[in-house]
Amino acid sequence: MKIELPIDSKLNTHQFLFGVATASFQIEGGADSRLPCIWDTFCATPGKIRDGSDGLVACDHLRLWREDVQLIKSLGVDAYRLSISWPRVMHQDGSLNAEGVDFYIQLLDELKANQIKAFVTLYHWDLPQHIEDNGGWLNRETAYLFADYADKISRAFGDRVYSYATLNEPFCSSYLGYEAGIHAPGLRSKAGGRQSAHHLLLAHGLALRVLQQNSPHTMNGLVLNFTPCYAQSDDPADIAAAQLADDYFNQWYIKPVLDGCYPDSFALLADSDKPTIHDGDFAIISTPLDFMGVNFYTRTVYQACAENGFAPVDMVDAPKTDIGWEIYPQAFTDLLVSLHQLYTLPPIYITENGAAMDDKLVQSQVQDLDRVSYYQQHLLALDSAIRQGVKVDGYFAWSLMDNFEWAEGYLKRFGIVYVDYQSQQRVIKQSGLAYRDLINSRSYTRHP
């Protein structure tokens, strides 16, 4: 089963970048050679991770990284998106951990030797626990600690990096971590969710300015996730509910970055839930981006709700992935076109897109045709958005390999490469082979 695109698609040219993506805590293991992070603590708290697992070993990438680079190379990709473990590269006193830094320098050098562009994310949720103990993202000082980390690590990496992203999905860090309590550190408060979001965005702006100074030749930006919000019906109340949800979950993170303010619905927050904002914060947060990463997986449908203003509706009969997310590729097109209409966008990279499926390894093969279909549909949806004028320069499949899927533990597999967690054997799935073949089939010239 193939992934096929129209012959005149921008995605069929070598100017369009294809990659795979991972995150440090999800794959590295090697917990004994870094500081503890909030996910270590969360994993050790009974009932927080569905299968009771942790990230102490994960995919053992810290030990197997050389083989993993060859695996990445075998897929024919142009780029690899990885994240740096803050607790691996910094000591508690704020000095660099030479052993941790050297691991990444070797990895970056190996990627470069294999002509694979390194897209580095500085923060993919693994906050050092000692910083959380001092308030974490609820403490404004954490934004400045993050800028210091960005300063030191970007100096240490020199010219090895093609692109830096400051944060991955601040929505997940703030809402899931500090408001809903589903992710580490597991706190639950609307005020905490909004305040941590503001401090994360401030951290982004401060770090971006550091990156522009230290690493002016890299593409420096931010990665945001979006879950488009649809109304259950044409009822004005449902439409208003979907708009309110979109503000709260999506526009809350992009509008300050691109427009220097929160959505108008900010005024609807109770005063006790509004974040403390200092003069000059929005000027820092809205520092111009070289690119914006967009992560997309699914949509959510909403109806009006007297208590919260909006309530999600379970699309019971819709096709879904193994994690329960609706498969609705039209939302991918709709999202990109709507962002293009709402904002003056920098160049866009799709930094994550993929699906959890119930994969089975049978005779050393994984016939994940449902995932191949997911990629086929979503790459066509991306092609449609590009044809409607959205500037998208690259696409990263999530994920390179099966890994620790946060609160789901090891129960959900997103990889285009299967991982046997007992033996650490990697097996390229049918989706990985189809992705490789698509990349290798590109023409050499851009279609006019």
Side-chain angles (χ1 to χ4, degrees):
M1 189 172 179
K2 291 181 172 180
I3 301 170
E4 295 183 289
L5 294 165
I7 192 68
D8 64 342
S9 171
K10 179 184 174 182
L11 281 72
N12 265 334
T13 70
H14 275 263
Q15 286 87 345
F16 190 86
L17 180 146
F18 278 104
V20 286
T22 64
S24 53
F25 189 83
Q26 292 181 273
I27 67 166
E28 282 180 3
D32 56 348
S33 56
R34 60 163 171 79
L35 294 175
C37 76
I38 56 174
W39 276 93
D40 295 313
T41 306
F42 199 65
C43 290
T45 307
K48 295 299 185 183
I49 309 300
R50 274 189 62 200
D51 61 358
S53 64
D54 56 51
L56 299 180
V57 176
C59 304
D60 206 10
H61 174 71
L62 191 78
R63 187 173 62 86
L64 300 173
W65 66 270
R66 281 189 173 85
E67 293 96 319
D68 287 340
V69 170
Q70 290 308 305
L71 177 67
I72 295 164
K73 184 182 181 182
S74 77
L75 294 169
V77 297
D78 307 301
Y80 173 47
R81 178 174 175 246
L82 66 147
S83 78
I84 306 305
S85 167
W86 187 351
R88 188 176 298 289
V89 296
M90 299 282 280
H91 292 299
Q92 189 162 340
D93 66 4
S95 63
L96 286 175
N97 177 333
E99 182 186 350
V101 173
D102 187 55
F103 161 66
Y104 290 111
I105 284 177
Q106 289 186 69
L107 175 58
L108 293 168
D109 284 344
E110 188 76 6
L111 290 168
K112 201 163 196 174
N114 285 281
Q115 287 84 52
I116 299 165
K117 295 179 173 69
F119 277 63
V120 166
T121 301
L122 291 175
Y123 184 70
H124 200 127
W125 311 352
D126 46 354
L127 187 71
Q129 182 60 44
H130 71 90
I131 297 177
E132 178 59 35
D133 292 342
N134 201 31
W137 291 112
L138 298 176
N139 184 346
R140 185 179 174 91
E141 180 59 26
T142 301
Y144 294 89
L145 292 176
F146 179 70
D148 178 63
Y149 153 55
D151 177 38
K152 287 172 177 161
I153 205 68
S154 58
R155 288 177 191 271
F157 287 171
D159 63 358
R160 295 174 174 86
V161 174
Y162 184 81
S163 167
Y164 280 108
T166 53
L167 310 174
N168 179 75
E169 303 183 345
F171 157 81
C172 293
S173 297
S174 59
Y175 180 78
L176 298 181
Y178 290 87
E179 186 162 340
I182 299 166
H183 280 188
L187 303 182
R188 292 183 178 165
S189 124
K190 181 174 263 196
R194 297 301 101 179
Q195 188 65 66
S196 59
H198 186 72
H199 289 157
L200 280 152
L201 292 171
L202 177 64
H204 152 71
L206 291 167
L208 187 62
R209 291 184 171 189
V210 165
L211 292 171
Q212 288 173 340
Q213 184 174 345
N214 290 359
S215 194
H217 302 299
T218 54
M219 214 170 29
N220 302 314
L222 169 70
V223 172
L224 299 175
N225 63 301
F226 296 88
T227 303
C229 303
Y230 289 75
Q232 183 188 28
S233 73
D234 293 335
D235 185 315
D238 285 347
I239 293 170
Q243 179 59 55
L244 194 60
D246 183 55
D247 271 7
Y248 201 76
F249 297 126
N250 297 315
Q251 309 309 322
W252 203 272
Y253 301 87
I254 184 173
K255 192 169 179 64
V257 172
L258 296 184
D259 287 354
C261 61
Y262 285 114
D264 291 344
S265 54
F266 182 92
L268 301 176
L269 285 178
D271 286 346
S272 58
D273 292 334
K274 288 177 180 171
T276 300
I277 300 169
H278 293 199
D279 289 345
D281 280 4
F282 285 119
I284 296 168
I285 291 168
S286 60
T287 300
L289 303 169
D290 296 331
F291 83 100
M292 187 174 76
V294 171
N295 294 354
F296 172 84
Y297 292 95
T298 187
R299 69 162 181 171
T300 307
V301 177
Y302 290 93
Q303 62 185 3
C305 168
E307 186 181 354
N308 292 325
F310 52 82
V313 178
D314 185 1
M315 305 302 284
V316 178
D317 298 324
K320 292 178 179 176
T321 66
D322 191 44
I323 208 167
W325 299 347
E326 183 186 1
I327 300 171
Y328 194 82
Q330 181 60 42
F332 196 16
T333 307
D334 293 347
L335 165 69
L336 293 168
V337 171
S338 69
L339 292 176
H340 178 60
Q341 291 168 345
L342 278 171
Y343 299 103
T344 302
L345 295 173
I348 298 296
Y349 285 81
I350 306 306
T351 34
E352 290 181 26
N353 178 233
M357 297 298 182
D358 186 17
D359 299 320
K360 298 286 186 264
L361 182 65
V362 180
Q363 295 178 337
S364 301
Q365 293 185 332
V366 180
Q367 295 290 340
D368 58 336
L369 302 186
D370 41 10
R371 185 178 288 104
V372 177
S373 174
Y374 181 96
Y375 279 120
Q376 173 70 74
Q377 294 175 68
H378 285 77
L379 287 166
L380 287 173
L382 174 58
D383 179 65
S384 176
I386 291 170
R387 290 174 192 273
Q388 292 176 61
V390 188
K391 182 173 170 51
V392 181
D393 289 340
Y395 174 95
F396 290 79
W398 183 272
S399 168
L400 166 65
M401 64 179 102
D402 298 333
N403 55 45
F404 178 80
E405 186 45 45
W406 307 112
E408 300 288 333
Y410 296 97
L411 298 175
K412 304 301 177 187
R413 294 179 178 270
F414 275 88
I416 60 172
V417 173
Y418 186 91
V419 177
D420 179 319
Y421 297 114
Q422 265 39 67
S423 67
Q424 292 298 344
Q425 181 190 12
R426 277 78 156 131
V427 177
I428 301 175
K429 302 177 189 178
Q430 188 61 41
S431 59
L433 298 174
Y435 191 55
R436 177 200 67 190
D437 291 347
L438 170 73
I439 293 167
N440 288 339
S441 70
R442 286 174 296 172
S443 61
Y444 281 89
T445 54
R446 181 186 292 282
H447 191 82

